[in-house]
Amino acid sequence: MKEDTRKIRVLVAKPGLDGHDRGAKVIARALRDAGMEVIYTGLRQTPEMIVNAALQEDVDVIGLSILSGAHNVIVPRIAEMLRSNKMDDVLLLVGGTIPQQDIEPLKKAGVSNIFGPGTPMDDIVGFIRNNVKPRGVPA
């Protein structure tokens, strides 16, 4: 398979203690329907579990679904672990209920974009396609 025809690989994860994964499953299906390869890690993932899975699966994108309010602790930890594992080329996205005042600090921590409830699936798919970094290109 030529490099430019390789499917975009997305890891969808539910970090923290939040037990609601309907949104994550809807996103996973939409990305799969858009032709992406999706790995869904399931509920209650630690930052370490998420980054290890992303490393093992050689993903292009990590999509975190967070509704628990723990995003200010969990997301910067994941971003830090991505940097320490030289995975700066992995697009880090967050979806869920994120208060407006938390958006800018999360982006400064390394989040590429945040998608709130009701974001059209086409917007998410388009953002990923337009922002995923080609393999072998330094971040």
Side-chain angles (χ1 to χ4, degrees):
M1 182 181 273
K2 292 191 320 190
E3 192 65 26
D4 59 354
T5 60
R6 188 178 74 82
K7 284 186 176 187
I8 295 171
R9 291 177 59 88
V10 183
L11 181 85
V12 175
K14 285 289 301 179
L17 300 177
D18 174 19
H20 299 89
D21 66 348
R22 179 172 157 76
K25 288 178 177 175
V26 168
I27 293 292
R29 170 165 274 149
L31 297 179
R32 198 168 292 131
D33 289 350
M36 298 180 197
E37 201 171 319
V38 179
I39 299 101
Y40 175 56
T41 62
L43 293 169
R44 297 179 182 88
Q45 299 291 299
T46 66
E48 291 77 12
M49 292 163 76
I50 292 166
V51 173
N52 284 335
L55 192 57
Q56 289 172 6
E57 295 288 349
D58 192 28
V59 299
D60 302 296
V61 182
I62 296 174
L64 303 173
S65 173
I66 303 179
L67 301 170
S68 66
H71 52 271
N72 287 328
V73 174
I74 292 171
V75 175
R77 175 77 179 124
I78 291 171
E80 175 188 311
M81 290 177 67
L82 289 174
R83 284 189 294 276
S84 69
N85 282 286
K86 302 198 182 344
M87 296 171 68
D88 303 84
D89 59 336
V90 174
L91 205 60
L92 182 59
L93 306 175
V94 175
T97 309
I98 308 294
Q100 190 65 39
Q101 69 267 19
D102 295 343
I103 291 175
E104 198 54 40
L106 290 175
K107 286 187 174 183
K108 283 183 179 165
V111 173
S112 296
N113 207 346
I114 296 169
F115 300 100
T119 301
M121 293 300 164
D122 288 346
D123 291 0
I124 298 169
V125 169
F127 184 86
I128 290 172
R129 286 192 176 134
N130 292 328
N131 291 281
V132 77
K133 294 179 177 77
R135 288 308 179 147
V137 176

